[in-house]
Amino acid sequence: MNAMLQDLRYAIRTLRHNRGFAVIAVLTLALGIGANTAIFSVVNAIILRPLPYPEPDKMVQVNLVWRGGEMNDSLTVPEFEFYRDHTAAFQAIAGFRGGADLEIKRGQVSEWIKPLRVTDGFFQTMGVSPLFGRGISREETHPGSARAAVLTDELWRKAFGADPAVVGQQFEAGGDSYTIVGVMPPGFAFAGQPADIFTSLQLGSSVEDTGMNTGVIARLKPGTGLEEAQGNMGVAFQAARRQGVAQSGEQGMQLVNYQRWLLGDLRPSLFMLFGAVGLLLLIACANVASLIMARGTARQREVSIRLALGAERSQLLRQFLAESLLIASIGGAAGLLAAAWTLRGLVASIPWSIPPGTQIGLDGRVLAFTLIVAVATSVVFALTSYWQTSKADLNLSLKEGGTHGARSTARSRTRNVLVTGEVALSLMLLLGAGLLIESLYRLHQQRLGFDPSGVYTMTTPFAPEASATSSQVWSFEQQVLDRLRALPGVTSAAAVSKLPLTGPNNLPTQQEGNPKHSIGGMEYRAVSADYFQAMHIPLLQGRGFSDSDNASSTPVVIVSENVARAWWNDQSPIGDQVVVGEYAGRQIPEILEPPREVVGVVPDVKNLAINEEQPTTIYVPASQLLKAGFRSTSWVVRVGANVSIGAAMRAAVLAVNPDQRVLNVEPMSDIVAQSVAHPSFNTLLMTIFAALALALTAVGIYGVLSFHVSRRTQEIGIRMALGAKRSNVILMVVGEGAALAGVGIAIGVVLAFALSRFLSSLLSGVQANDPVIYAVVAVALLGVALLASYIPARRAAKVDPLVALRYE
């Protein structure tokens, strides 16, 4: 212990006398370790940390597989009931479905809550029982039965005053009466989607039940593995197909680990970012190792004297370990502080949908990760110093100038290898950033089909208990539209049942009299007459909607261009008819509308997602909505330049109905930005990491060439004394830098090409091995390397031959 303390004191004293080296090494390590710690904290919380349920590895998501391999994570009610009753691999299985927000009124207090409708077996599948009371029973899922509710702990405390006698009480919400049957423990949250209350999902035969709208999760029986359960599910699927329960086009059923399914496309994104910061750490370590080797050269005589005076090589190793551990410990601590400082901002800017209840922070596993990284780097640095100095020839080292032999050449080669590795790793990061930037650019260049600039939006959800007719809804919309159009700066205003890029709203639709022309998921939008004008959507054929299109006139519809192309080819669809609520000749009475006459065609619009093809869409007049049923109305208001109108829009709605909720008042451009927020976040972080890597690589090249120039001062002086021009010296040194960069670029291209397939799933509209991006990145990196080489080359060209000849 005394020897270790002595080594530590000597390390502190040595580093204090070499503050420049110590500061650069610590900051470089802090950068690499801090970035790794921050990203690892996110990876740990979302991927590595198990879900907060008993035996979460036993939980699976039940998915449908269609022909072509496409997967659907929702089933119909008949399919759910069949698999619930015919699959022996599950200890419990449950269905769930979201619902419209509910308003709970307790005295003078009104609380809007988010419900999740669940079947019996839901809490058994989660492996968590109510704190008191019970869960949902099978009888409560039958149509017409009393509605049961299980409260979360937070809702129980906030809306019911933490009343221990709450079980058995009833409350009104959404026009229905609910009986409270249980309260969940504190901290319980469903990882699938946020919920304040769990209500009984009644399994009937409505259009919602017969559509694929019910999510299904299950818990495997003890001793049953995923592969065995998958086989059992395959047998059940064949039985469902024979009995006509499985739908046409279904290929099978797929069980997926529930946590893995929740993460979806987060896994490749997070692993990509974690791999990127890992490369950044390697570059930082290579830089520090290069610094240590340069410092080792300067300390060669000191080490040789110690060995000549009888110091043991184990003592030498222990001393290097102390110095390296001190540097890495300080760098690790600084990196940990940097990670803690940046983590809050990083988490706040994450655009992903993180499972409810996920806590991202610095926990024991993150601290252990940082400690391991710091210790591992310190050991590597210590062994580097030990290997460099312990193999020296003492006689040569003790002679003045004895450091210029084969040992110096070996060290130079080692440092060249480190810099070449930095270039290769940096190229991989730059290529990743370049591909993501190009992909993001392609996304922004997508043809939206509308013009978002100058458009403000808002949404007014209807209370579920409101039993307004279609005409009453249209009357409300007309009053609001009149007030919106009267606002200063407004050029046009319109209502729409669902804004572009905010999700699906589809209904089965068929061309009248032609069952072959059917689309089960036809996007359906109810719009006011000025919608196309407000969104700058041009009319391609026919006419738009007018005030004469009302409930007493002929039902009309406008179709998107891809519908017209699919159903009418080169013929005009004007005057033909489509039927909403009919699919392949089969009518769905609950949503069936009379045939609508096609009066116009508009361009395709990105109604669902910016990185997907434009969906087939039909538009009907909001003034001619034949059946009420939309949960909300959205509004689009086009204004002139430099007009702020959000508060006035909200006031216009409240002037018509003071009790109406108004949500999401925002520019349409923000909605478009949100649709590319995920790739934008990935691109931003990768670009930052690549820029840091490029800076470290430039410093590494500069350091190596500066070292070479200082060691070759006499040689350069002789060359210049014999007639070499300054330009020759500059070209010689810059050529060395170019050679290092060239080899590194070649290695990096090969490695990047081999790993490009891991990046493919994150790209849109660009190939992972795009030769243009490879060429641009390689040229840019070579340019930076040449610039970093020019500074020491210029200094070498200024060497005075007389001074250089006296250098030794």
Side-chain angles (χ1 to χ4, degrees):
M1 181 61 69
N2 287 335
M4 291 174 61
L5 291 175
Q6 182 179 358
D7 290 336
L8 185 60
R9 285 195 296 269
Y10 181 79
I12 294 173
R13 190 164 60 249
T14 302
L15 293 179
R16 187 187 304 157
H17 293 154
N18 295 270
R19 293 177 182 174
F21 161 78
V23 169
I24 293 175
V26 166
L27 290 179
T28 303
L29 282 179
L31 172 65
I33 293 176
N36 271 267
T37 301
I39 298 298
F40 179 77
S41 300
V42 179
V43 172
N44 173 58
I46 297 178
I47 295 181
L48 302 181
R49 187 186 297 158
L51 293 173
Y53 311 119
E55 297 184 287
D57 58 307
K58 290 290 185 181
M59 297 175 62
V60 294
Q61 171 75 22
V62 182
N63 294 327
L64 281 172
V65 180
W66 295 91
R67 291 192 184 101
E70 184 182 352
M71 197 174 294
N72 195 315
D73 58 6
S74 298
L75 280 63
T76 65
V77 163
E79 288 174 324
F80 162 68
E81 291 179 319
F82 184 88
Y83 294 124
R84 179 190 64 186
D85 300 334
H86 294 83
T87 309
F90 301 142
Q91 179 181 343
I93 183 172
F96 62 91
R97 200 185 300 162
D101 289 357
L102 300 175
E103 185 181 19
I104 294 181
K105 293 182 178 180
R106 305 285 293 177
Q108 301 298 319
V109 179
S110 179
E111 189 81 31
W112 283 95
I113 61 174
K114 192 172 292 295
L116 184 73
R117 294 174 286 171
V118 302
T119 67
D120 58 298
F122 178 79
F123 298 109
Q124 292 90 330
T125 301
M126 306 305 293
V128 181
S129 300
L131 184 64
F132 48 87
R134 61 173 176 83
I136 306 296
S137 68
R138 178 73 57 88
E139 292 73 20
E140 289 162 340
T141 65
H142 296 157
S145 61
R147 298 183 182 273
V150 177
L151 310 178
T152 59
D153 177 78
E154 183 180 3
L155 180 63
W156 173 57
R157 296 180 183 278
K158 185 163 51 175
F160 295 90
D163 181 4
V166 72
V167 174
Q169 293 184 19
Q170 292 186 334
F171 65 91
E172 299 288 328
D176 292 310
S177 177
Y178 294 85
T179 301
I180 299 173
V181 298
V183 177
M184 295 306 294
F188 175 82
F190 176 50
Q193 63 187 82
D196 302 304
I197 189 172
F198 304 93
T199 64
S200 52
L201 172 60
Q202 298 189 345
L203 306 175
S205 57
S206 68
V207 65
E208 194 176 18
D209 294 323
T210 55
M212 291 184 294
N213 300 305
T214 305
V216 179
I217 55 174
R219 177 175 287 272
L220 303 180
K221 284 182 176 179
T224 302
L226 185 61
E227 185 175 347
E228 180 183 350
Q230 182 63 59
N232 185 272
M233 200 71 190
V235 174
F237 172 74
Q238 294 302 327
R241 172 175 285 177
R242 287 193 298 270
Q243 297 186 28
V245 176
Q247 301 179 78
S248 174
E250 291 182 13
Q251 188 177 13
M253 304 297 295
Q254 181 71 47
L255 302 180
V256 183
N257 175 275
Y258 187 56
Q259 184 169 12
R260 190 180 186 90
W261 174 81
L262 278 178
L263 295 176
D265 59 356
L266 286 188
R267 287 177 65 87
S269 291
L270 287 175
F271 282 137
M272 180 270 294
L273 293 175
F274 193 44
V277 293
L279 295 180
L280 183 63
L281 178 62
L282 288 176
I283 294 172
C285 288
N287 252 359
V288 175
S290 185
L291 283 172
I292 287 176
M293 294 191 73
R295 184 165 174 266
T297 300
R299 297 179 64 187
Q300 187 64 67
R301 283 176 57 83
E302 171 204 338
V303 172
S304 299
I305 291 173
R306 288 177 176 273
L307 292 173
L309 292 176
E312 297 181 1
R313 295 189 182 273
S314 60
Q315 292 176 314
L316 189 66
L317 176 60
R318 195 175 64 225
Q319 181 181 314
F320 287 148
L321 276 173
E323 291 183 14
S324 298
L325 187 59
L326 184 60
I327 293 173
S329 298
I330 298 174
L336 196 61
L337 289 175
W341 181 65
T342 59
L343 192 57
R344 181 176 299 179
L346 176 66
V347 173
S349 61
I350 287 177
W352 310 316
S353 179
I354 299 175
T358 302
Q359 299 293 327
I360 301 177
L362 303 180
D363 59 12
R365 184 179 293 179
V366 174
L367 295 177
F369 169 81
T370 306
L371 178 63
I372 291 172
V373 170
V375 171
T377 53
S378 65
V379 170
V380 171
F381 296 153
L383 292 177
T384 300
S385 297
Y386 177 74
W387 170 81
Q388 178 186 3
T389 56
S390 64
K391 302 303 180 183
D393 185 314
L394 297 184
N395 291 326
L396 289 176
S397 298
L398 291 173
K399 292 178 182 178
E400 186 177 8
T403 56
H404 288 289
R407 290 175 293 103
S408 181
T409 302
R411 291 170 193 151
S412 296
R413 289 174 180 170
T414 304
R415 297 188 72 192
N416 290 349
V417 168
L418 289 174
V419 170
T420 300
E422 286 187 56
V423 172
L425 297 176
S426 181
L427 179 89
M428 295 171 67
L429 283 175
L430 287 168
L431 279 174
L435 290 169
L436 288 174
I437 290 172
E438 176 66 16
S439 176
L440 185 62
Y441 172 77
R442 296 284 180 90
L443 282 177
H444 281 290
Q445 295 302 113
Q446 289 282 335
R447 188 170 64 87
L448 298 175
F450 61 90
D451 178 14
S453 60
V455 174
Y456 279 80
T457 69
M458 65 179 172
T459 300
T460 52
F462 302 135
E465 63 268 21
S467 56
T469 63
S470 298
S471 60
Q472 289 172 327
V473 171
W474 173 235
S475 176
F476 167 75
E477 292 175 345
Q478 280 182 302
Q479 294 178 63
V480 173
L481 284 173
D482 288 341
R483 292 180 178 273
L484 290 175
R485 294 188 186 109
L487 295 176
V490 172
T491 59
S492 56
V496 58
S497 56
K498 193 78 173 179
L499 288 167
L501 301 175
T502 60
N505 184 77
N506 54 67
L507 293 173
T509 305
Q510 176 186 305
Q511 182 186 8
E512 169 69 6
N514 192 347
K516 292 183 179 179
H517 286 173
S518 299
I519 296 176
M522 179 76 78
E523 287 301 313
Y524 184 97
R525 299 291 184 272
V527 302
S528 63
D530 289 340
Y531 177 72
F532 301 112
Q533 176 187 350
M535 297 295 284
H536 285 180
I537 300 174
L539 194 66
L540 300 180
Q541 296 183 45
R543 67 173 179 87
F545 298 139
S546 65
D547 294 337
S548 61
D549 296 316
N550 52 48
S552 60
S553 63
T554 301
V556 295
V557 65
I558 291 177
V559 301
S560 61
E561 189 177 6
N562 49 12
V563 176
R565 187 167 50 249
W567 286 359
W568 289 277
N569 295 320
D570 296 329
Q571 304 298 317
S572 172
I574 306 301
D576 206 343
Q577 294 182 321
V578 300
V579 181
V580 176
E582 189 170 7
Y583 178 74
R586 182 171 62 90
Q587 295 182 341
I588 306 171
E590 187 178 351
I591 59 173
L592 183 65
E593 296 183 357
R596 289 182 177 272
E597 180 184 344
V598 179
V599 298
V601 179
V602 294
D604 301 331
V605 170
K606 294 275 188 179
N607 276 318
L608 295 182
I610 200 169
N611 60 343
E612 297 179 5
E613 292 296 324
Q614 294 95 330
T616 53
T617 308
I618 59 173
Y619 302 87
V620 303
S623 57
Q624 206 179 60
L625 198 60
L626 302 179
K627 294 189 177 182
F630 291 108
R631 293 176 177 174
S632 64
T633 293
S634 294
W635 310 82
V636 293
V637 179
R638 181 167 291 278
V639 298
N642 303 319
V643 175
S644 179
I645 200 171
M649 289 170 60
R650 185 186 299 273
V653 174
L654 297 180
V656 176
N657 181 2
D659 297 326
Q660 175 65 56
R661 283 202 300 163
V662 181
L663 306 177
N664 306 326
V665 181
E666 59 185 340
M668 188 68 212
S669 56
D670 285 0
I671 296 177
V672 175
Q674 290 162 16
S675 67
V676 294
H678 189 162
S680 297
F681 181 78
N682 289 344
T683 304
L684 176 62
L685 285 188
M686 180 63 92
T687 302
I688 292 173
F689 298 151
L692 293 173
L694 185 61
L696 289 175
T697 301
V699 170
I701 293 173
Y702 169 79
V704 164
L705 294 181
S706 294
F707 175 77
H708 283 202
V709 167
S710 66
R711 306 305 295 171
R712 298 172 65 183
T713 299
Q714 188 181 37
E715 173 199 338
I716 292 172
I718 293 174
R719 286 176 179 270
M720 297 185 71
L722 294 176
K725 297 180 180 179
R726 296 191 175 211
S727 58
N728 299 130
V729 175
I730 290 177
L731 287 174
M732 179 185 69
V733 178
V734 171
E736 291 181 10
L740 292 175
V743 174
I745 288 171
I747 296 173
V749 166
V750 173
L751 292 175
F753 190 83
L755 297 175
S756 61
R757 61 189 180 91
F758 296 106
L759 199 60
S760 298
S761 62
L762 302 176
L763 302 177
S764 177
V766 60
Q767 296 296 321
N769 52 4
D770 189 320
V772 175
I773 295 178
Y774 273 61
V776 170
V777 168
V779 170
L781 183 55
L782 182 61
V784 171
L786 294 178
L787 182 62
S789 306
Y790 177 73
I791 300 174
R794 193 174 171 205
R795 189 174 71 240
K798 293 181 178 180
V799 169
D800 186 332
L802 293 178
V803 174
L805 292 174
R806 293 197 299 264
Y807 183 72
E808 294 293 341

